[in-house]
Amino acid sequence: MEAASHYVSVWLPVPRRLAFTYAVPADWPALRPGSLVVAPLGRRQSVGIVAATRVQPDPDLAEIKPLSARLPEIWDLSPPLLRVLQWSIGHYLAPPGEALRAFLPPALLKTKSPDPAKARLRPIPALETLSLPEPNAEQNAAIEAILAGPEGFQAYLLHGITGSGKTEVYLRLCAELLGRGRSALILVPEIALTPQTVGRFAARFGAVVGSYHSAMTEAQRLKTWIQARSGELRILVGTRSALALPLQDLGLVVVDEEHDSSYKQEERFRYQGRDLAVLRAREEGIPVVLGSATPSLESLENAESGKYRLLHLPDRATRGALPKIHLVDLKKEAADPETLLSPSLAAALAATLARGEQALLFLNRRGFAPFLLCRGCGEAPNCPNCEIALTYHKRPAAMVCHYCEFRAPPPERCPRCSDEELQAMGSGTERLEEALARLHPGRRIARLDRDVSLSRQRTEEILTSFAKGEIDILVGTQLVAKGHDFKQLTLVGILLADSTLHQPDFRSAERLFQLVTQVAGRAGRHDLPGEVFLQTFRPEHYAIAAALEQDPHRFFLHEREHRREAEYPPFRRLVLLRLSGNQAGKVEQAARKLAEDLRTLFARHPEVKVLGPSKSALEKLRGKYRWQLLLRTSKYEAMRRVLEEKLGRLEKSLAAGVSLHVDVDPAGSF
Ligand code: ADP
Ligand code: ZN
């Protein structure tokens, strides 16, 4: 073996809270933090990132192996990206090996990486190039404020109502940056649902535009990564997984629909993509633009405090005015049990169709019926793995768990009393579509929910035909709420606005306000006036009232006071500690013990509150019983340091068969 010149610590893609120590062969050129290496790990070889060089190895280590290879320098993490990775490991209390997966293309983490030359990129669906709209006064003001802003990092919150031309602002900024030889990263919540966004960038800038998201194959992603690194691609439109693309001369980061909950990753490395995008811009020393019609409370608070600069687009860019919103109080005006339409919405729908215009009906519930019920004994089949009713799907016929994807054929008779046939209770989007087809024969009706969107091609077909006016009624879940622009759409029905309020989530009012505003914003964006029917059992709720008046500021003020009083973010920071395992008793015991340990640990930190333990809202998920604890603090850094030091030990002390995961700034669903 060659003599080792020195030692380095390396992060490897394994869920361990540590860096591994290796020897650097003497004849290697110098490594630096951020270099990519191949290291032996057990009997495997694994790609990893050098965390630190010239480390003193722990004298207790029995054997230190030499590194096997160094990847070409073009793969090195740039210093800004390395700092973002380091920060996120600390902030999110994440095992480094989980975090680094977000910073490298997945194909690279496998020793047998595919040949990048063979990767074929899907062509981006290009729209016809339209004549470019001349930016209006507000758009120009926003563009100039950003271009003339401070050198280096600055965050902007672009608060523009739906259809106000935010995307046009991003496009103009990109044009300017390209002219200066810089590149731009555009993050969007969900690419399969916004092919139009990618299309608009591609139509304007052609071959330098790429897209990046997790529905692409690993080979495609690797190729995009290389093209970004080489400068071939200058504009990347992607989901949160595009966050760490190594674009050359990055000059701008945009986070579109910054309030969208899909920026939060809920598995493995639990991070908030929007926040990491801001951090990336800070480390790169460039501006970041967060755009939304309904900004998150966190971002509004940052604008209020002066951390972010607030830019307003108060009017629609096209002639369209904001739609008129009608409130339907379902306690007074009962909805049809199958279509869920109140008489006034049913009448408006008929009139819209008669005028040859389009309607969008929104219901946050897929499947045919939320549950099946035996009228004889009251049985309603539950998922065997989760503490939740199975949803009935008609085509194909199945009982489906919406949490774990468990599927079973629907029973012919009640499985308990075998007496009665089970009845479909309530309505989901599938039943809605069927009932509407009966009610409006000859009309073209389509549905877009997660069952349909599993096929990306089908999703694009539906969105394209709806945009072309080839569909009369589109039924959908929140998938249809996101930034689409349909010219003939004049009626939007929100069938059950308050369904989001029943979730155990401190953001449920915010989500409700955002959802109603976003869905309503789909109507009447162009020449035709739009109308929205908002059906609810809780017309008095402040989120509904604010959505009705289309007054985000009123909502913000109200919600902010509520959050302040209830000690929720953005005024406090939350960390969720979740315990899960196959045996209910063991999980509960572990949760109680962890609560005690944490109370002892923070005994001298009065600003840290340990809440719980309690059963999770979903007590059982995918066969695992779940308990949780919530830490709340006004001084996150102090709490974080304590946790960072002690988490490893707390994890080790857990009973066998119980696992713990940590979610910093959790999205909710406690
Ligand atoms: P947002 O992203 O805020 O929802 P878009 O950028 O999609 O808004 O703009 C909505 C519509 O208005 C699009 O059809 C776009 O082409 C058009 N538009 C944008 N800016 C202008 C403008 N200055 N003049 C005319 N039309 C515009
Ligand atoms: Zn299940």
Side-chain angles (χ1 to χ4, degrees):
M1 203 180 82
E2 309 124 274
S5 64
H6 66 274
Y7 302 98
V8 290
S9 62
V10 177
W11 291 318
L12 295 171
V14 290
R16 298 279 299 278
R17 293 192 178 278
L18 51 86
F20 295 79
T21 306
Y22 288 95
V24 183
D27 54 346
W28 281 25
L31 293 172
R32 60 168 194 85
S35 296
L36 263 63
V37 291
V38 181
L41 181 68
R43 267 173 295 166
R44 292 184 296 130
Q45 294 287 327
S46 175
V47 170
I49 298 179
V50 173
T53 55
R54 308 203 170 272
V55 299
Q56 280 298 336
D58 183 341
D60 294 342
L61 279 178
E63 180 201 15
I64 299 177
K65 291 185 178 160
L67 291 171
S68 315
R70 184 205 200 296
L71 292 194
E73 248 168 82
I74 85 143
W75 290 108
D76 286 5
L77 237 57
S78 66
L81 275 172
L82 182 69
R83 290 195 296 272
V84 177
L85 172 58
Q86 273 163 337
W87 183 89
S88 45
I89 290 168
H91 179 84
Y92 294 113
L93 297 160
E98 298 278 22
L100 75 80
R101 288 172 189 278
F103 288 76
L104 297 173
L108 196 67
L109 291 172
K110 305 189 172 150
T111 31
K112 215 180 69 196
S113 57
D115 177 3
K118 285 205 196 111
R120 268 214 353 259
L121 269 186
R122 247 189 84 139
I124 295 158
L127 300 184
E128 304 117 62
T129 328
L130 308 162
S131 58
L132 301 188
E134 203 43 47
N136 59 35
E138 284 90 11
Q139 285 171 316
N140 266 328
I143 295 164
E144 269 160 32
I146 296 164
L147 291 177
E151 280 285 308
F153 170 70
Q154 174 63 47
Y156 299 88
L157 179 59
L158 181 61
H159 184 181
I161 65 166
T162 53
S164 58
K166 294 183 289 298
T167 312
E168 189 58 38
V169 170
Y170 312 148
L171 288 163
R172 295 273 167 175
L173 290 171
C174 286
E176 178 64 29
L177 279 157
L178 281 184
R180 298 179 187 177
R182 310 291 296 266
S183 61
L185 177 63
I186 317 292
L187 297 182
V188 295
E190 169 69 272
I191 265 203
L193 300 165
T194 49
Q196 292 181 3
T197 308
V198 184
R200 280 169 75 182
F201 280 87
R204 196 150 314 173
F205 304 115
V208 300
V209 178
S211 66
Y212 189 91
H213 52 90
S214 50
M216 285 162 57
T217 66
E218 292 189 352
Q220 288 171 331
R221 278 190 268 175
L222 188 67
K223 182 168 180 193
T224 306
W225 204 278
I226 294 167
Q227 288 174 324
R229 185 73 175 78
S230 71
E232 198 178 329
L233 293 176
R234 312 293 299 188
I235 296 179
L236 251 308
V237 185
T239 52
R240 59 168 194 245
S241 63
L243 192 95
L245 277 171
L247 282 151
Q248 288 255 315
D249 305 307
L250 188 62
L252 173 73
V253 177
V254 169
V255 184
D256 191 28
E257 308 287 356
E258 66 88 28
H259 65 280
D260 197 290
S261 57
S262 38
Y263 283 117
K264 175 76 168 77
Q265 173 150 308
E266 303 281 12
E267 252 142 40
R268 303 228 288 196
F269 175 40
R270 297 173 174 81
Y271 67 96
Q272 166 51 268
R274 173 198 61 218
D275 297 348
L276 280 194
V278 173
L279 193 80
R280 170 128 193 230
R282 193 185 78 192
E283 294 304 326
E284 301 271 0
I286 58 174
V288 57
V289 179
L290 309 179
S292 177
T294 52
S296 63
L297 220 71
E298 285 82 352
S299 296
L300 286 168
E301 189 60 31
N302 280 329
E304 193 83 3
S305 73
K307 257 172 88 180
Y308 294 179
R309 291 196 184 171
L310 186 61
L311 304 168
H312 261 297
L313 300 180
D315 301 309
R316 284 202 156 166
T318 49
R319 262 164 296 165
L322 276 180
K324 178 165 172 45
I325 307 192
H326 306 272
L327 184 76
V328 178
D329 182 348
L330 290 170
K331 287 176 302 196
K332 294 189 184 132
E333 200 186 327
D336 177 88
E338 249 189 324
T339 62
L340 306 183
L341 303 180
S342 60
S344 39
L345 176 52
L349 177 62
T352 302
L353 295 174
R355 287 195 305 270
E357 294 164 13
Q358 294 175 296
L360 174 69
L361 298 178
F362 172 84
L363 177 66
N364 218 353
R365 213 152 61 187
R366 67 195 167 93
F368 190 85
F371 62 105
L372 293 182
L373 181 75
C374 173
R375 297 267 178 164
C377 72
E379 166 80 355
N382 257 3
C383 173
N385 310 317
C386 309
E387 206 64 46
I388 202 95
L390 289 168
T391 302
Y392 172 55
H393 288 242
K394 194 164 177 182
R395 246 164 296 194
M399 304 291 287
V400 181
C401 174
H402 285 184
Y403 288 89
C404 76
E405 308 301 327
F406 170 86
R407 272 172 185 272
E412 305 240 323
R413 316 221 135 254
C414 171
R416 188 157 75 184
C417 67
S418 33
D419 231 27
E420 303 256 345
E421 257 183 61
L422 295 171
Q423 297 219 346
M425 304 301 288
S427 272
T429 45
E430 198 186 2
R431 186 174 215 168
L432 216 63
E433 185 190 15
E434 191 184 290
L436 287 165
R438 259 199 325 271
L439 217 62
H440 297 282
R443 297 293 183 187
R444 297 158 301 180
I445 301 172
R447 167 166 61 92
L448 189 54
D449 54 26
R450 200 148 71 76
D451 298 309
V452 176
S453 76
L454 289 179
S455 157
R456 189 167 166 211
Q457 195 191 343
R458 181 81 191 115
T459 308
E460 280 179 25
E461 271 169 28
I462 291 176
L463 292 172
T464 310
S465 10
F466 197 58
K468 282 196 206 148
E470 295 164 359
I471 292 169
D472 301 309
I473 308 175
L474 181 62
V475 172
T477 53
Q478 70 262 37
L479 297 194
V480 298
K482 297 184 182 174
H484 311 293
D485 193 14
F486 305 117
K487 297 206 165 47
Q488 295 292 317
L489 174 63
T490 58
L491 177 69
V492 167
I494 301 168
L495 301 186
L496 195 55
D498 20 347
S499 57
T500 46
L501 284 182
H502 306 303
Q503 266 136 39
D505 178 355
F506 69 88
R507 290 195 178 88
S508 65
E510 182 183 1
R511 296 235 185 289
L512 173 64
F513 176 76
Q514 288 165 344
L515 196 68
V516 171
T517 308
Q518 296 280 343
V519 181
R522 301 301 123 223
R525 282 163 70 103
H526 294 271
D527 298 338
L528 300 164
E531 261 190 309
V532 176
F533 282 75
L534 176 68
Q535 305 193 141
T536 174
F537 284 102
R538 300 177 66 178
E540 69 290 346
H541 193 283
Y542 65 92
I544 301 258
L548 205 63
E549 288 179 16
Q550 306 188 47
D551 188 347
H553 198 67
R554 171 175 157 171
F555 176 74
F556 168 64
L557 292 177
H558 192 129
E559 181 67 7
R560 182 164 70 157
E561 278 329 294
H562 167 70
R563 297 272 186 93
R564 201 196 300 276
E565 273 163 32
E567 297 186 54
Y568 275 129
F571 302 101
R572 294 288 186 276
R573 217 151 194 144
L574 298 177
V575 174
L576 176 73
L577 298 142
R578 181 163 274 142
L579 293 138
S580 58
N582 293 325
Q583 293 177 37
K586 264 191 168 178
V587 177
E588 175 175 354
Q589 253 178 15
R592 295 198 184 286
K593 166 136 190 322
L594 181 62
E596 249 172 63
D597 291 348
L598 289 171
R599 290 204 163 92
T600 315
L601 200 57
F602 291 112
R604 280 180 298 135
H605 293 257
E607 77 284 0
V608 176
K609 289 261 179 326
V610 182
L611 308 170
S614 61
K615 283 184 182 169
S616 300
L618 264 172
E619 286 172 39
K620 191 182 166 200
L621 181 67
R622 297 186 191 99
K624 305 260 195 241
Y625 293 90
R626 293 148 38 100
W627 277 72
Q628 65 191 34
L629 281 145
L630 206 52
L631 295 174
R632 186 173 69 199
T633 183
S634 51
K635 296 185 185 140
Y636 180 62
E637 190 47 29
M639 180 175 96
R640 195 194 69 75
R641 282 213 202 100
V642 176
L643 281 176
E644 188 170 52
E645 197 194 320
K646 300 288 194 251
L647 258 179
R649 195 176 53 77
L650 290 173
E651 265 171 349
K652 278 207 191 92
S653 73
L654 290 173
V658 178
S659 52
L660 167 67
H661 80 237
V662 181
D663 192 345
V664 177
D665 307 332
S669 55
F670 308 133

